[in-house]
Amino acid sequence: MATINETAAVEIENQQPEQGGRGIVKRKPVFVKVGDLKPGTNGHTLAVKVLSSTTVLDKKSRISSSFSSRPGAANTRIAECLIGDETGTILFTARNDQVDLMKAGNSVIIRNAKIDMFKGSMRLAVDKWGRIEVTEPASFTVKEDNNLSLVEYELVNVAE
């Protein structure tokens, strides 16, 4: 006959999910479409094509990078890239090393992206917790007549 402690241990073992190598259970990515993006949301994973990339800031630091407190702080680069899929397009703000990946014609997978609001319109961005991967060319055609960054939003306070 099993003791109470042995029975409880077996029940606990049966309830715990299987875990991978380092004890981290990874979720399968849920890909969303550009047309489904909404203001103030984050954690998006998208497969998109880069239609165009325009550099808006390429600032060289006056201080030599050897004196800089953090590596890679020598210059700041920001580019606005028009990206899209078969449901629409949106402007993506690429920063520093991301600019090199976001070249016109590339197909990329963007992970853990967030929606930033800039002058009332939506922009997609990836911070240090996200990732951009260049992939093989995508098979879809981009719907260019539905640019979500052209829709202007206004914050309205509702009085109760």
Side-chain angles (χ1 to χ4, degrees):
M1 185 167 160
T3 65
I4 295 173
N5 288 341
E6 289 173 343
T7 307
V10 170
E11 288 176 9
I12 291 171
E13 281 179 16
N14 291 339
Q15 291 175 358
Q16 291 183 353
E18 286 294 317
Q19 294 184 343
R22 294 183 292 162
I24 299 172
V25 179
K26 292 187 178 180
R27 289 186 309 154
K28 281 266 192 214
V30 178
F31 286 83
V32 296
K33 299 294 182 189
V34 172
D36 298 333
L37 297 175
K38 301 285 182 249
T41 57
N42 58 21
H44 303 297
T45 301
L46 303 99
V48 294
K49 285 183 183 176
V50 182
L51 302 176
S52 66
S53 180
T54 308
T55 301
V56 292
L57 179 68
D58 194 353
K59 184 178 177 182
K60 304 279 189 239
S61 176
R62 287 181 277 158
I63 302 171
S64 156
S65 62
S66 62
F67 295 112
S68 178
S69 61
R70 58 174 214 240
N75 59 355
T76 302
R77 294 185 301 162
I78 298 176
E80 285 186 346
C81 312
L82 186 63
I83 61 170
D85 62 13
E86 63 270 17
T87 62
T89 59
I90 192 167
L91 280 173
F92 177 83
T93 305
R95 298 176 184 279
N96 301 327
D97 293 340
Q98 297 173 355
V99 175
D100 298 328
L101 301 173
M102 302 297 286
K103 299 291 181 202
N106 280 359
S107 292
V108 294
I109 292 178
I110 299 174
R111 299 182 192 278
N112 203 15
K114 62 179 180 168
I115 297 292
D116 287 332
M117 298 304 289
F118 178 73
K119 295 183 179 176
S121 65
M122 291 194 303
R123 302 287 169 96
L124 196 65
V126 171
D127 58 12
K128 66 180 179 177
W129 304 111
R131 186 171 174 181
I132 301 172
E133 300 172 30
V134 178
T135 62
E136 67 275 348
S139 59
F140 56 81
T141 53
V142 178
K143 183 178 181 181
E144 296 186 43
D145 60 347
N146 183 21
N147 188 342
L148 298 182
S149 292
L150 295 179
V151 178
E152 195 168 315
Y153 291 87
E154 185 177 340
L155 182 62
V156 178
N157 292 326
V158 179
E160 292 183 21

